[in-house]
């Protein structure tokens, strides 16, 4: 078989866009207002300076972020393999460096998928959101200091609970700052939701995020071009810091380094805990991630709690009531700012109505009896929103957002009994292949429909065949080609990434990745002890634990906490502030010692030997409990059957 320049076989290599995809792109060019270049002007406005190619490396020399591989986006005209609307957004997201929003307020953009906002106070600088990685946050701070002079960090504000807004906090705040009591401000219930969404469900979510963000895709016109909200996810170190000051209610204010902040709560919008703020001194409005330059996700592909589109719309309406006509500039924690009171109010109104329309029309059609898939086929945005660039579905598309709304109200079951308890994919696939006359018949029909551009059904049919016969190379190859065309056709970056990564895994298998790293000690220290035990509980293998009972007492000397940990009925539970009289063993230690053990900086026997843990009773019971814990894989199959049986 012939070889490509990259050394891949021709069957593995990306294919060109089909005629039907090219025709679709031509229709997009005719339908949307590409002559409007105001976003490009705004994205470049206020530029101060940058890092060459936005390249950031770790202390070990590993590149954790760089825009150099995206140099192909310098071309203004979209290639046939990329939707022209997505190409436009991808080019806008190439702007990087330090930008002045208004005098005294700066943003670092393009050094991560998210933005860092820097607000100058009387004596120092207030940092709003700290990017994903510690390395990226340090680089952003140094870029700011280079152009604005070195000044102390007066406070850190986390606008919401997603990792790309707090993961780099240790690159902004060091141990000395923490000891000095630098304020860390966040919305109410920040820790509860940061832990549940990013840690409890983290292993599955991180694997699914590979499909959403496409980090293993090659950068190029037939590969990764963007993530809608920004270019991609940073690859550096992450650690969670516990807030010291929670904003509880809309209307709460804070004076931070002489600067007044007016806060608005927006829970269960883009994040379970999220907030907005207005700064009168600078006439600056920040709506966090609830008013960005795309239609956002109501349920991201990585997984999350379903977001409340109705509440989201109402928060934007409330923001208009509170601050309409007051802001000269509006910046968010993704994308570029907007200037001018009329433009700001208009964008908020359109975003408000975008989420309200999606919500109300989904419910209207739902109450007519349409299921989620039928609603996605029926709903159409009004022209006033369809033509607004900031309403386009680069990250959260109307076709999957309406399904999220349906799920929020009615759940996964569409009331048709055929979908109540269907066969799982492998068993179902085998029956479909049998009913459709075998693999050769499926491949023949699929090839004919592929030629006609009927990629959606071809993907469905071939997926059944791959799950029935995972080693059928012809089926894998044609399904990969089909996914690829669907990816080329997609305006949504997340759809494109999912389709193209599915194609890549069918052709090449799952990427080879190192084992999952232990949770950083800094993140563990930010967790409450109850949250740490909750994390332990989800690792318990219920089948292995069946019939076992283990009771362990814990006494933490540094926090003054006591716990009785109980394994019974294959469930791990605990009682805080109690000690069990029938405990098999009791442990007295500092909570920090437990953090070190979980972070694999030491072992339990080593800590006992060093006198850091006092033990009463039978310590082997802890070892027996830990032997019942699963280690979660970093990778698992998605577009083909699981190769490992999980019980």
């Amino acid at each position: 078989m012939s070889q490509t320049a990259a050394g891949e076989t021709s069957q593995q290599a990306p294919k060109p866009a089909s005629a039907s995809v090219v025709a679709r792109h031509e229709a997009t060019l005719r339908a949307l207002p590409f002559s409007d270049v105001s976003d490009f002007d705004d994205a470049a406005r206020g530029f101060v300076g940058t890092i060459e190619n936005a390249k950031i490396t770790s202390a070990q020399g590993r590149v954790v972020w760089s825009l150099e591989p995206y140099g192909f986006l310098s071309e203004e005209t979209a290639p046939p393999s990329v939707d022209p609307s997505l190409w436009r957004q991808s080019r806008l997201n190439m702007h990087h460096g330090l930008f002045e929003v208004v005098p005294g307020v700066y943003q670092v953009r393009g050094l991560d998928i998210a933005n860092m906002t820097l607000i100058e106070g009387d004596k120092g600088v207030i940092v709003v959101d700290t990017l994903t990685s510690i390395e990226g946050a340090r680089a952003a701070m140094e870029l700011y200091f280079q152009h604005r002079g070195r000044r102390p960090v007066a406070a850190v504000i986390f606008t919401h609970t997603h990792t790309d807004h707090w993961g780099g906090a240790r690159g902004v705040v060091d141990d000395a700052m923490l000891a000095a009591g630098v304020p860390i401000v966040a919305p109410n219930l920040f820790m509860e939701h940061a832990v549940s969404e990013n840690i409890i469900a983290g292993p599955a979510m991180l694997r699914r995020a590979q499909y959403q963000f496409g980090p293993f895709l090659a950068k190029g016109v037939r590969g990764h071009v963007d993530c809608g909200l920004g270019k991609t996810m940073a690859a550096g170190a992450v650690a969670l810091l516990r807030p010291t000051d929670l904003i509880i209610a809309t209307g709460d204010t804070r004076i931070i380094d002489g600067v007044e902040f007016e806060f608005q709560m927006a829970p269960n919008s883009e994040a379970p805990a999220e907030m907005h703020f207005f700064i009168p001194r600078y006439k600056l409005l920040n709506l966090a991630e609830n008013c960005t330059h795309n239609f956002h996700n109501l349920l991201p592909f990585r997984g999350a709690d379903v977001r409340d589109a109705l509440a989201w719309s109402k928060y934007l309406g409330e923001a208009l009531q509170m601050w309409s006509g007051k802001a000269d500039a509006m910046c968010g924690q993704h994308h570029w700012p907007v200037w001018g009171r009329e433009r700001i109010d208009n964008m908020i109104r359109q975003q408000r109505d975008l989420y309200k329309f999606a919500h109300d029309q989904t419910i209207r059609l739902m109450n007519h009896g349409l299921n989620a898939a039928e609603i996605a086929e029926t709903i159409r945005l009004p022209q006033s929103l369809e033509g607004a660039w900031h309403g386009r579905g680069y990250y959260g598309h109307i076709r999957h957002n309406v399904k999220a709304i349906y799920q929020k109200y009615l759940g996964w079951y569409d009331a048709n009994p055929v979908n109540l308890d269907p066969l799982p994919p492998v068993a179902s696939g085998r029956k479909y292949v049998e009913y459709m006359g075998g693999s050769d018949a499926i491949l023949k029909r699929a090839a004919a429909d592929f030629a006609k551009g009927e990629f959606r059904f071809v993907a469905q049919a071939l997926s059944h065949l791959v799950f029935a016969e995972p080693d059928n190379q012809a089926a894998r190859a044609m399904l990969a080609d089909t996914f690829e065309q669907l990816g080329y056709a997609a305006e949504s970056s997340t759809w494109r990434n999912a389709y193209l990564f599915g194609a890549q895994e069918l052709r090449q298998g799952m990427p080879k990745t190192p084992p999952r790293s232990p949770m950083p000690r800094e993140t563990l220290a930010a967790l409450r002890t109850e949250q740490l035990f909750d994390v332990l509980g989800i690792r318990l293998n219920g089948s292995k634990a069946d019939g076992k009972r283990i009771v362990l007492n814990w006494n933490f000397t540094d926090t003054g906490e006591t716990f009785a940990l109980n394994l019974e009925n294959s469930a791990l539970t605990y009682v805080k502030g109690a000690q069990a009289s029938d405990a098999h063993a009791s442990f007295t230690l500092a909570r920090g010692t437990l953090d070190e053990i979980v972070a694999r900086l030491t072992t339990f026997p080593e800590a006992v030997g060093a006198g850091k843990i006092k033990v009463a009773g039978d310590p082997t019971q802890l070892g027996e409990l830990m032997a019942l814990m699963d280690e979660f894989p970093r990778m698992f199959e998605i577009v083909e059957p699981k190769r490992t049986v999980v019980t």
Side-chain angles (χ1 to χ4, degrees):
M1 192 171 286
S2 63
Q3 297 288 310
T4 68
E8 297 173 306
T9 65
S10 59
Q11 187 162 304
Q12 290 178 324
K15 309 296 194 301
S18 66
S20 63
V21 169
V22 172
R24 180 169 171 169
H25 293 340
E26 290 172 349
T28 296
L29 286 169
R30 292 190 297 270
L32 295 176
F34 282 90
S35 60
D36 177 6
V37 296
S38 57
D39 281 336
F40 287 91
D41 294 337
D42 287 345
R45 179 172 168 173
F47 176 72
V48 177
T50 193
I51 301 168
E52 185 177 2
N53 293 317
K55 188 174 181 180
I56 300 169
T57 57
S58 69
Q60 295 73 36
R62 183 170 67 97
V63 176
V64 301
W65 181 268
S66 175
L67 294 183
E68 187 173 10
Y70 294 95
F72 61 89
L73 285 164
S74 61
E75 295 293 329
E76 186 173 346
T77 302
S81 55
V82 185
D83 175 270
S85 176
L86 176 58
W87 185 258
R88 177 186 182 276
Q89 183 81 350
S90 303
R91 297 184 71 239
L92 283 162
N93 283 333
M94 284 295 287
H95 290 269
H96 58 86
L98 181 69
F99 297 81
E100 182 184 75
V101 182
V102 296
V105 178
Y106 296 82
Q107 280 196 311
V108 176
R109 304 202 311 268
L111 268 60
D112 196 284
I113 193 172
N115 300 338
M116 176 187 287
T117 304
L118 300 126
I119 299 160
E120 294 177 354
D122 291 348
K123 298 179 180 179
V125 61
I126 302 149
V127 180
V128 181
D129 291 351
T130 59
L131 309 184
T132 307
S133 74
I134 295 170
E135 297 90 342
R138 284 181 182 144
M141 294 301 296
E142 287 303 315
L143 179 62
Y144 168 77
F145 291 146
Q146 176 187 341
H147 293 279
R148 295 296 299 162
R150 194 164 296 274
R151 61 189 72 198
V153 173
V156 172
I157 297 175
F158 297 143
T159 61
H160 62 288
T161 49
H162 294 146
T163 312
D164 52 324
H165 299 268
W166 53 257
R170 276 296 195 159
V172 174
V173 180
D174 59 23
D175 289 340
M177 296 179 196
L178 287 177
V182 63
I184 302 174
V185 184
N188 190 35
L189 300 178
F190 176 88
M191 281 300 298
E192 287 78 358
H193 292 297
V195 170
S196 65
E197 189 166 68
N198 297 291
I199 295 176
I200 294 291
M205 194 177 290
L206 287 171
R207 169 62 170 139
R208 290 166 59 111
Q210 294 169 6
Y211 276 73
Q212 178 173 334
F213 296 110
F216 293 110
L217 289 172
K219 281 71 173 173
V221 298
R222 295 184 184 177
H224 193 274
V225 298
D226 205 62
C227 284
L229 281 177
K231 194 49 61 190
T232 186
M233 294 295 290
V238 173
L240 177 62
L241 285 180
R242 180 185 294 277
T244 62
D245 182 11
L246 295 177
I247 305 301
I248 303 298
T250 293
D252 281 1
T253 62
R254 295 289 188 277
I255 304 295
I256 305 174
D257 195 22
V259 179
E260 181 183 16
F261 287 74
E262 300 173 3
F263 289 99
Q264 178 199 11
M265 304 304 294
N268 301 314
S269 53
E270 187 272 336
E274 188 150 351
M275 64 186 184
H276 309 150
F277 61 82
F278 177 69
I279 304 176
R281 175 190 289 193
Y282 294 117
K283 296 183 175 61
L284 176 81
L285 179 59
N286 188 311
L287 296 182
E289 203 167 321
N290 283 328
C291 190
T292 55
H293 287 277
N294 54 209
F295 194 4
H296 212 293
N297 256 319
L298 296 178
L299 182 56
F301 295 170
R302 63 178 171 81
D305 287 343
V306 179
R307 296 158 183 176
D308 190 335
L310 180 59
W312 195 322
S313 174
K314 289 182 177 180
Y315 295 136
L316 293 177
E318 184 179 53
L320 274 173
Q321 285 184 309
M322 295 174 68
W323 299 308
S324 175
K326 295 182 179 180
D328 290 338
M330 177 175 71
C331 67
Q333 294 309 115
H334 290 272
H335 301 141
W336 51 96
V338 174
W339 289 268
R341 296 179 181 184
E342 184 177 342
R343 290 184 64 207
I344 291 167
D345 286 0
N346 185 57
M347 180 173 176
I348 298 172
R349 281 195 300 269
Q350 287 185 317
Q351 287 271 312
R352 173 198 66 190
D353 296 343
L354 177 64
Y355 293 96
K356 189 64 159 58
F357 174 88
H359 174 272
D360 290 357
Q361 296 307 305
T362 298
I363 303 304
R364 180 181 68 84
L365 294 170
M366 185 180 81
N367 285 329
H368 276 293
L370 277 66
N371 64 27
E374 292 167 335
I375 294 169
E377 291 298 310
T378 303
I379 199 165
R380 295 291 182 273
L381 288 174
Q383 187 56 45
S384 57
L385 296 178
E386 182 78 12
W389 285 117
H390 63 80
R392 303 300 300 176
Y394 306 119
Y395 193 59
H397 199 280
I398 184 68
R399 290 180 60 83
H400 73 253
N401 275 344
V402 298
K403 295 177 181 179
I405 296 167
Y406 184 96
Q407 178 178 321
K408 179 172 178 60
Y409 282 89
L410 296 182
W412 59 269
Y413 177 46
D414 64 2
N416 184 341
V418 72
N419 296 317
L420 182 59
D421 191 26
L423 289 172
V426 171
S428 178
R430 289 170 179 165
K431 296 303 291 184
Y432 270 104
V433 171
E434 178 186 339
Y435 272 51
M436 295 169 76
S439 58
D440 290 342
I442 294 173
L443 288 168
K444 182 177 180 180
R445 291 173 179 171
D449 283 347
F450 184 99
K452 292 185 286 186
E454 297 180 4
F455 303 121
R456 290 168 67 192
F457 186 76
V458 171
Q460 287 180 263
L462 290 175
S463 181
H464 287 305
L465 179 51
V466 167
F467 272 85
E469 302 176 11
D471 296 320
N472 185 323
Q473 295 304 312
R476 295 176 72 95
M478 191 180 296
L479 180 55
D481 291 350
T482 305
F483 279 161
E484 191 167 63
Q485 295 303 315
L486 287 166
Y488 291 165
E491 180 183 35
S492 169
S493 67
T494 53
W495 288 41
R496 177 185 175 90
N497 292 339
Y499 283 131
L500 295 188
F501 192 47
Q504 179 173 299
E505 289 205 343
L506 285 164
R507 291 167 175 161
Q508 303 174 16
M510 292 186 295
K512 302 296 187 291
T513 59
R516 188 181 305 282
S517 301
M519 200 179 302
R521 178 172 54 183
E522 294 85 354
T523 297
L524 289 163
L527 303 184
R528 298 196 316 273
T529 307
E530 299 97 304
Q531 292 172 320
L532 193 58
F533 285 146
D534 286 340
V535 171
L536 199 63
I538 64 168
R539 291 179 51 205
L540 179 72
N541 186 307
S543 299
K544 292 181 180 178
D546 193 14
K548 296 185 182 294
R549 183 173 184 271
I550 299 173
V551 181
L552 303 174
N553 283 335
W554 297 85
N555 180 6
F556 295 104
T557 55
D558 50 351
T559 64
E561 298 173 303
T562 58
F563 289 86
L565 189 66
N566 185 71
L567 169 63
E568 194 172 12
N569 299 315
S570 294
L572 192 65
T573 61
Y574 56 83
V575 178
K576 184 178 181 179
Q579 297 279 272
S581 59
D582 60 345
H584 295 95
S586 297
F587 306 102
T588 301
L589 68 163
R591 166 60 202 277
T593 300
L594 182 60
D595 294 342
E596 292 176 356
I597 293 169
V598 177
R600 299 178 190 170
L601 300 176
T602 187
T603 66
F604 198 85
E606 287 172 350
V608 172
K612 293 183 177 181
I613 302 177
K614 295 180 180 179
V615 182
D618 181 5
T620 64
Q621 292 294 303
L622 177 60
E624 183 173 350
L625 175 64
M626 297 310 296
L628 303 175
M629 300 293 161
D630 280 354
E631 290 291 338
F632 297 127
R634 187 166 184 173
M635 307 294 284
F636 51 81
E637 293 81 1
I638 289 179
V639 292
E640 61 180 309
K642 303 290 184 292
R643 303 285 181 168
T644 302
V645 177
V646 180
T647 58

